[in-house]
Amino acid sequence: GAGVSQSPSNKVTEKGKDVELRCDPISGHTALYWYRQSLGQGLEFLIYFQGNSAPDKSGLPSDRFSAERTGGSVSTLTIQRTQQEDSAVYLCASSLGMDQPQHFGDGTRLSIL
Amino acid sequence: GNSVTQMEGPVTLSEEAFLTINCTYTATGYPSLFWYVQYPGEGLQLLLKATKADDKGSNKGFEATYRKETTSFHLEKGSVQVSDSAVYFCALLNRDDKIIFGKGTRLHILP
């Protein structure tokens, strides 16, 4: 389909490993967002991209988290030296512009053992 | 399956008007319900939530009551302001800990 695609859908890894989460936005959507949903909680906003630029990285939980976007399309969220508290569902969304409704992917469920 | 249906926008109101944005859901069990708001140029923010039937969530003058009998969680505000112009998302958190969003309703408030 033409929706937001995230991969992998599930990821189980050992504490201390690095993980990379991928988001393919809807074609033509210039804005892309990353969120985290911890167990039983609502969404926590992490970062957004307008094109390839992320103007505000203050929502990232720690310096172990980084995100990039290339070609105004695919984005990756990287977590280095994972900790158990990183276990969550990571959601990606995209929109035509920053003032347009967001379309969400199905998320990546990350479990840190 | 689980789903959220909310009224399509855009909704345009004058300042100080009464606001209702309808939201209904289908879910197994007893999900938690949320309203999120996306202000221009920002990511989603949690506006309010309710975790069980008959709970009322409220914040910034907005209210929504968890109605199990009608499977609804309508968002209301008695007197809207220009600064309330945003996109509003209804969402549910199901028992598999998966959050499901409605499509969003754009709200324009005219001065």
Side-chain angles (χ1 to χ4, degrees):
Chain A
V4 176
S5 177
Q6 291 187 244
S7 60
S9 54
N10 284 283
K11 176 73 176 178
V12 181
T13 192
E14 293 179 345
K15 177 182 170 181
K17 301 286 189 183
D18 296 352
V19 295
E20 190 173 277
L21 311 181
R22 177 187 168 106
C23 173
D24 279 278
I26 293 172
S27 178
H29 281 195
T30 60
L32 185 148
Y33 311 77
W34 282 99
Y35 298 89
R36 178 169 71 173
Q37 181 211 337
S38 300
L39 183 65
Q41 304 297 313
L43 283 187
E44 174 188 5
F45 173 67
L46 299 179
I47 192 170
Y48 79 88
F49 290 87
Q50 180 60 22
N52 293 332
S53 173
D56 180 5
K57 300 181 180 180
S58 62
L60 294 175
S62 77
D63 59 8
R64 297 185 293 103
F65 287 71
S66 63
E68 65 175 17
R69 189 180 187 195
T70 55
S73 181
V74 172
S75 176
T76 54
L77 178 69
T78 302
I79 309 172
Q80 295 178 308
R81 305 180 303 282
T82 52
Q83 304 294 314
Q84 286 186 330
E85 62 263 28
D86 299 334
S87 296
V89 176
Y90 290 82
L91 284 164
C92 176
S94 71
S95 63
L96 280 170
M98 289 296 292
D99 62 343
Q100 300 293 316
Q102 297 178 30
H103 300 255
F104 285 83
D106 288 336
T108 294
R109 185 178 293 275
L110 176 64
S111 300
I112 309 300
L113 303 178
Chain B
N2 299 324
S3 66
V4 175
T5 303
Q6 62 183 104
M7 62 191 294
E8 293 189 18
V11 174
T12 302
L13 296 172
S14 297
E15 203 166 23
E16 299 183 3
F18 184 87
L19 168 71
T20 300
I21 301 178
N22 289 338
C23 172
T24 57
Y25 68 91
T26 58
T28 52
Y30 302 94
S32 296
L33 301 174
F34 304 84
W35 276 99
Y36 285 88
V37 58
Q38 178 195 0
Y39 295 107
E42 300 181 15
L44 286 184
Q45 301 175 27
L46 178 64
L47 180 60
L48 53 84
K49 69 177 182 180
T51 57
K52 62 182 187 296
D54 300 325
D55 269 2
K56 178 185 285 187
S58 60
N59 186 24
K60 300 182 181 179
F62 290 88
E63 293 183 340
T65 301
Y66 190 142
R67 301 286 188 199
K68 188 172 184 302
E69 63 276 12
T70 55
T71 61
S72 64
F73 194 56
H74 303 323
L75 182 69
E76 296 182 336
K77 185 172 185 180
S79 177
V80 292
Q81 305 299 313
V82 172
S83 57
D84 293 327
S85 297
V87 182
Y88 292 81
F89 290 84
C90 185
L92 70 82
L93 183 66
N94 69 12
R95 60 185 180 184
D96 296 324
D97 209 36
K98 180 178 173 69
I99 193 161
I100 296 166
F101 290 91
K103 293 187 180 299
T105 302
R106 176 180 298 283
L107 176 65
H108 292 294
I109 306 300
L110 304 175

